[in-house]
Amino acid sequence: MPAIHLAKLIGDRVYFITGSIIFCYDVKKGERVWKTKDYNQSFWGFAITEGKLIGANGDEIMIGFDLATGNEVWRSAPGMGGNNTSKLYTMNGIVYFIDGDRKLHAIDMRV
């Protein structure tokens, strides 16, 4: 398995990225709960809000996954996730980030 470069613990579950795949493990049982398919482009970051994990990858897209199942439930238009220089931040169900052109983006995940 490739190196883990980003992880987040919420309750009994840990969510982490290894290249182009996102995993969820139950830390008490030590068992994998779910993993995404291989997206062929590395995810460089993710945020968790509104029952979704939002990942940004090298294909310049943002992808929303159901936090419980790992199923893809949302996808941005091409170009939304590219040239990103900031971390993803969340507040009140909205994901914020600043791209390489220093433009602020806000994605409302409550809808």
Side-chain angles (χ1 to χ4, degrees), residues 31-79:
E31 298 173 353
R32 187 177 74 204
V33 177
W34 56 258
K35 77 173 192 172
T36 65
K37 69 177 188 174
D38 187 339
Y39 280 86
N40 298 318
Q41 290 288 330
S42 292
F43 285 93
W44 55 262
F46 70 83
I48 295 175
T49 188
E50 299 297 314
K52 297 177 188 78
L53 183 151
I54 296 81
N57 80 0
D59 275 339
E60 299 188 354
I61 56 173
M62 307 284 269
I63 304 171
F65 302 95
D66 181 276
L67 205 54
T69 66
N71 293 332
E72 184 177 321
V73 295
W74 179 86
R75 183 181 284 247
S76 73

Side-chain angles (χ1 to χ4, degrees), residues 4-111:
I4 297 170
H5 71 265
L6 182 62
K8 183 168 260 195
L9 179 66
I10 298 177
D12 295 339
R13 292 188 173 186
V14 63
Y15 304 87
F16 59 92
I17 295 172
T18 60
S20 57
I21 302 172
I22 300 175
F23 292 85
C24 171
Y25 272 79
D26 183 307
V27 294
K28 285 189 175 180
K29 296 178 183 176
E31 298 173 353
R32 187 177 74 204
V33 177
W34 56 258
K35 77 173 192 172
T36 65
K37 69 177 188 174
D38 187 339
Y39 280 86
N40 298 318
Q41 290 288 330
S42 292
F43 285 93
W44 55 262
F46 70 83
I48 295 175
T49 188
E50 299 297 314
K52 297 177 188 78
L53 183 151
I54 296 81
N57 80 0
D59 275 339
E60 299 188 354
I61 56 173
M62 307 284 269
I63 304 171
F65 302 95
D66 181 276
L67 205 54
T69 66
N71 293 332
E72 184 177 321
V73 295
W74 179 86
R75 183 181 284 247
S76 73
M80 176 63 78
N83 299 320
N84 210 325
T85 58
S86 76
K87 292 182 180 179
L88 301 177
Y89 296 94
T90 62
M91 187 168 75
N92 299 326
I94 300 174
V95 178
Y96 298 92
F97 67 92
I98 298 172
D99 69 18
D101 295 326
R102 298 184 182 173
K103 294 178 185 171
L104 175 65
H105 297 268
I107 304 170
D108 191 342
M109 297 308 299
R110 297 170 292 180
V111 293

